[in-house]
Amino acid sequence: QVQLVESGGGSVQAGESLTLSCVASGYTEGDYCMGWFRQAPGKEREGVAAIRARSGSPFYDDSAKGRFTVSRDNSKNTLYLQMNTLRPEDTGMYYCARGSCTKMLDVREYNNWGQGTQVTVSS
């Protein structure tokens, strides 16, 4: 069983940057995918970025591509999401999750979730 704890969220103005972190504890052996998902009030949880734990191959939602960078440090069991040039529409609760790599941005492929960290971007 893996526990995930996100941090790094906050309130920023449009154009600024944030870096989110997700620390995993418990059993983290083997190959799997880690993802970042955003949920705004009244909306479905959507995939933002994901990465294969073993190879480091990233995958991005179209809106995040070119602005966000997902990475991981396996020695520290830590996942990161660097978010640049933030926009108000990036606002939401960001969740870190662990799951399969069948569909990397599909919430249904993830079975371990963190508690979330809030990101608020004002114009």
Side-chain angles (χ1 to χ4, degrees):
Q1 187 68 35
V2 176
Q3 292 78 47
L4 306 172
V5 180
E6 303 96 330
S7 63
S11 182
V12 299
Q13 291 183 295
E16 295 182 340
S17 300
L18 282 173
T19 299
L20 308 182
S21 299
C22 172
V23 178
S25 61
Y27 293 98
T28 58
E29 296 83 6
D31 197 17
Y32 50 89
C33 281
M34 298 290 295
W36 288 101
F37 297 82
R38 180 185 65 245
Q39 187 166 24
K43 295 185 177 181
E44 298 290 325
R45 191 170 300 183
E46 299 179 329
V48 177
I51 189 168
R52 301 187 78 98
R54 183 166 292 171
S55 69
S57 298
F59 197 81
Y60 299 97
D61 175 74
D62 288 340
S63 66
K65 192 176 300 182
R67 296 190 299 127
F68 295 179
T69 302
V70 62
S71 61
R72 86 280 188 266
D73 186 340
N74 288 344
S75 68
K76 298 180 179 179
N77 290 329
T78 302
L79 177 74
Y80 304 95
L81 183 66
Q82 181 181 347
M83 304 184 293
N84 297 326
T85 59
L86 283 161
R87 306 164 181 168
E89 52 264 41
D90 295 321
T91 294
M93 185 72 72
Y94 282 73
Y95 296 91
C96 170
R98 181 187 191 273
S100 73
C101 300
T102 305
K103 298 177 67 177
M104 294 178 69
L105 295 182
D106 190 337
V107 297
R108 295 170 293 183
E109 299 297 325
Y110 293 80
N111 53 17
N112 288 297
W113 295 84
Q115 83 288 351
T117 184
Q118 178 68 35
V119 173
T120 302
V121 184
S122 59
S123 59

